[in-house]
Amino acid sequence: MLALAGFLTIGVFLAGVLSRRVSVLLALTVVPVVAALAVGAAPRLGELIGKGLTTVAPVAIMITFAVLYFCLMIDAGLFDPAVRRILRWAGGDPLKITVGTAALTVLVALDGDGASTFLITVSALLPIYQRMGMRRLVLAGVVALGAGVMNLVPWGGPTARAMAALNADSGRIFLPLLPAMLAGIAWVLVAAWLIGRAERKRIGVLDLDGPAAAVERTRAERVRYWANVVLTLALVAALLAQVAKLEVLFVGAFVLALLINRPKWSQQQELFDKHGHNVVLVTTMIFAAGVFTGILSGTGMIEAMARALVSVVPDWAGGALPALTALTGMPLSLVFTPDAYYFGVMPVLAETSAALGGDPAEIARAALLGQMTTGFPLSPLTASTFILVGMAGVDLGEHQRFAFKWAFGTTVVMTAVALAVGAI
């Protein structure tokens, strides 16, 4: 009963969002509430929602101040020199911009944290896309591809969970996947080239030399500019070093940025009036996602779905189980949270594989080829997804429709290489 209710809840949610018949906000809140009532969880509904909201509250706080911080930096012209240099290198060519976006994302995503990757890359590149007249969907999609494949790093969430679940080290779980990961990076660059070629065909190669000219700054403006540079570099370094929680870092950085750029209340009010609606839209989605995950987890639907999926695997499929795990992992990112999958589904699959004569570590490696790696930037079950679409200013359903085939292509390429080298 719980498993069926869970699958129906996910199905109705995805159908509503992808068809654009209902808003993401309504789908994330109304659908799970109706499901909770249907399975008899009405007396605990407030408790479930409250727990889900508490879980996502730190993320909502972080994104509030992160969006305000980077909006302030964009207004202050922090990224203008980088925009001019990239435009000069690209020569107004959308293809070069998209390939550069993929390469930059792969480098930034070495920290293994999707939230900081999206905050840094989208903030730096969005002015360029706006300047070029390129679609924001392209920015969100290419960044999602780069961040997805890099989420395989051992210090990233999925790999760390897989190692913990099987009590294995990175030498057993991650290193055999290194060739597949490198192939995935190569595919991301190829995909960015293909997407960029289509974007070039749509808008052409633009001549932006004149409008991209540098603007002369006053002495005070130069001082503020370099203060912003130092502050942002310090923030990025702190994010990468994980010296404190993300929300703490962004609150502190935003307060300092206000003192540097908008010390007067009237100036601060102007900032809030200009960008406050962006903050409200993103944080509302994050809290709605908290309702969704709180109900599905608290009612036991996710656990029941995990058991149901494992129970349908026939004995004869043992040899193909790693490949099936790899290819289904990316779509299942839309259904299972990383904790639910790696601590609920994957161990049972690993035990099933061992009982059929396979290596449990192969299942862990297979799972990493898609579940909350290539799939996490599209999943409504991770707050990072809402950071990405919120910062880029795109609709979640449109983002999923645009990026799904490219992200699944990454999983297919990595799975093929993993099979070829005997990793799975």
Side-chain angles (χ1 to χ4, degrees), residues 317-353:
L321 193 56
L324 290 173
T325 300
L327 293 176
T328 58
M330 186 264 162
L332 287 179
S333 296
L334 304 176
V335 179
F336 292 106
T337 64
D339 287 336
Y341 188 89
Y342 285 102
F343 295 126
V345 177
M346 192 199 73
V348 181
L349 290 174
E351 290 177 9
T352 302
S353 177

Side-chain angles (χ1 to χ4, degrees), residues 80-81 84 88 209-217:
D80 287 352
R84 287 193 295 269
R88 192 178 302 122
D209 292 338
V215 177
E216 189 66 26
R217 300 175 186 266

Side-chain angles (χ1 to χ4, degrees), residues 26-207:
L26 287 178
L28 284 170
T29 52
V30 175
V31 173
V33 167
V34 172
L37 296 176
V39 298
R44 300 174 53 223
L45 188 58
E47 174 191 346
L48 299 177
I49 293 176
K51 188 174 181 179
L53 293 176
T54 302
T55 301
V56 301
V59 177
I61 295 170
M62 181 269 293
I63 190 60
T64 295
F65 288 96
V67 170
L68 289 173
Y69 179 86
F70 284 112
C71 286
L72 175 56
M73 288 299 154
I74 290 174
D75 288 349
L78 175 67
F79 301 108
D80 287 352
V83 169
R84 287 193 295 269
R85 287 186 177 89
I86 293 176
L87 289 176
R88 192 178 302 122
W89 168 78
D93 189 348
L95 189 152
K96 290 184 178 179
I97 295 296
T98 53
V99 173
T101 298
L104 177 63
T105 304
V106 167
L107 292 175
V108 174
L110 280 169
D111 70 339
D113 182 76
S116 60
T117 297
F118 297 151
L119 289 166
I120 294 169
T121 54
V122 175
S123 298
L125 295 169
L126 183 57
I128 297 174
Y129 277 70
Q130 292 175 321
R131 184 82 177 81
M132 295 278 291
M134 297 173 64
R135 290 177 296 166
R136 293 173 178 235
L137 271 177
V138 171
L139 171 61
V142 174
V143 169
L145 293 178
V149 70
M150 293 303 293
N151 214 30
L152 272 81
V153 293
W155 49 91
T159 304
R161 287 178 174 88
M163 292 188 296
L166 294 186
N167 194 25
D169 59 20
S170 61
R172 188 180 180 197
I173 301 298
F174 172 72
L175 288 182
L177 287 178
L178 196 54
M181 183 178 177
L182 294 175
I185 294 173
W187 163 253
V188 167
L189 295 174
V190 170
W193 184 85
L194 293 171
I195 295 170
R197 188 177 64 172
E199 199 70 357
R200 177 204 277 171
K201 183 178 180 180
R202 187 180 70 87
I203 63 177
V205 177
L206 308 180
D207 181 9

Side-chain angles (χ1 to χ4, degrees), residues 289-306:
V291 175
F292 190 85
T293 56
I295 291 176
L296 263 67
S297 299
T299 56
M301 291 185 197
I302 289 181
E303 182 181 354
M305 286 189 289

Side-chain angles (χ1 to χ4, degrees), residues 237-263:
L239 290 171
L240 297 178
Q242 299 180 353
V243 299
K245 293 183 178 180
L246 293 182
E247 58 269 25
V248 175
L249 293 175
F250 274 110
V251 168
F254 177 66
V255 171
L256 291 175
L258 278 182
L259 293 175
I260 293 170
N261 298 277
R262 305 285 183 94

